[in-house]
Amino acid sequence: MSIEYESLGLPLGEYQLSRADHRRQREADGIAAWVEREVAKAPPWSEEKIREMQELFDSETGPPPWEYMRWRVRLYCGHIQEVERHRRASRPDEGVGADVPCAECGKDPAVIVAFEVVGPVAEPPMAPQVSSRNTASRRGSAGRRTKAELEAENSALRAEVERLRRTVTE
């Protein structure tokens, strides 16, 4: 699956906020205010419930780092920062959590107004090399090799070493 990552404007260049940027920021501010009002109406949680939820969040590991892309974004407030999004997202401003708090001025939420992909957060680990000599299919029923199998492998390895010595000296 190949994703084409989009870009919008130049985060590091000059940027003039558009009417759409102002509208999106007003909408984000309105949603954040509504959520705060609704949370304020909810009954307080007990210490036990808070601890239970904390354990639940702590146990969630999430996807590994190589599943994320790093993006450079310009926020509504004008500050530039890097954010990480799942590599399946073609833009950093898609979906839930698209608006971010600004690390410099604290504006929360701050709408993303320009962005460009920087690259993967991490490279996936190399697949382990599988040796064809010690595969389970060549082993006995208990996973142990017989004396005859070990002697045959030993002879083959000695012959290979001897052949390599001859090629080096030639």
Side-chain angles (χ1 to χ4, degrees):
M1 176 173 93
S2 177
I3 303 281
E4 270 195 49
Y5 298 106
E6 300 177 31
S7 65
L8 176 67
L10 297 171
L12 296 177
E14 291 291 317
Y15 189 83
Q16 292 292 320
L17 293 171
S18 68
R19 288 172 49 167
D21 295 332
H22 292 295
R23 179 186 45 77
R24 288 178 30 244
Q25 184 63 49
R26 277 193 311 275
E27 288 172 356
D29 289 338
I31 291 168
W34 179 84
V35 168
E36 281 185 32
R37 286 191 306 272
E38 293 303 306
V39 168
K41 294 177 191 176
W45 281 4
S46 67
E47 287 298 318
E48 180 184 345
K49 184 68 171 179
I50 292 171
R51 211 174 16 263
E52 186 179 302
M53 293 306 292
Q54 188 63 45
E55 287 173 10
L56 179 67
F57 287 124
D58 289 346
S59 68
E60 178 61 35
T61 59
W66 55 87
E67 289 288 322
Y68 291 92
M69 291 297 283
R70 184 172 284 122
W71 296 81
R72 181 176 299 115
V73 299
R74 176 180 288 274
L75 302 175
Y76 179 82
C77 58
H79 294 116
I80 296 165
Q81 60 189 52
E82 285 191 1
V83 297
E84 296 174 3
R85 297 291 188 261
H86 198 277
R87 70 179 330 129
R88 281 186 246 135
S90 63
R91 317 168 45 111
D93 60 350
E94 291 179 337
V96 177
D99 304 327
V100 296
C102 179
E104 285 189 53
C105 69
K107 179 147 187 65
D108 186 14
V111 172
I112 296 171
V113 297
F115 55 85
E116 62 187 358
V117 69
V118 175
V121 170
E123 293 298 324
M126 298 293 293
Q129 297 285 335
V130 178
S131 173
S132 62
R133 292 193 176 133
N134 290 336
T135 59
S137 63
R138 294 183 60 190
R139 293 183 182 183
S141 61
R144 304 183 91 192
R145 293 185 288 170
T146 65
K147 183 176 178 183
E149 288 174 318
L150 290 170
E151 287 175 347
E153 183 179 357
N154 190 4
S155 296
L157 289 171
R158 286 180 186 277
E160 186 177 347
V161 167
E162 191 56 39
R163 184 187 59 78
L164 289 171
R165 279 191 184 140
R166 274 188 259 123
T167 38
V168 169
T169 56
E170 293 177 357

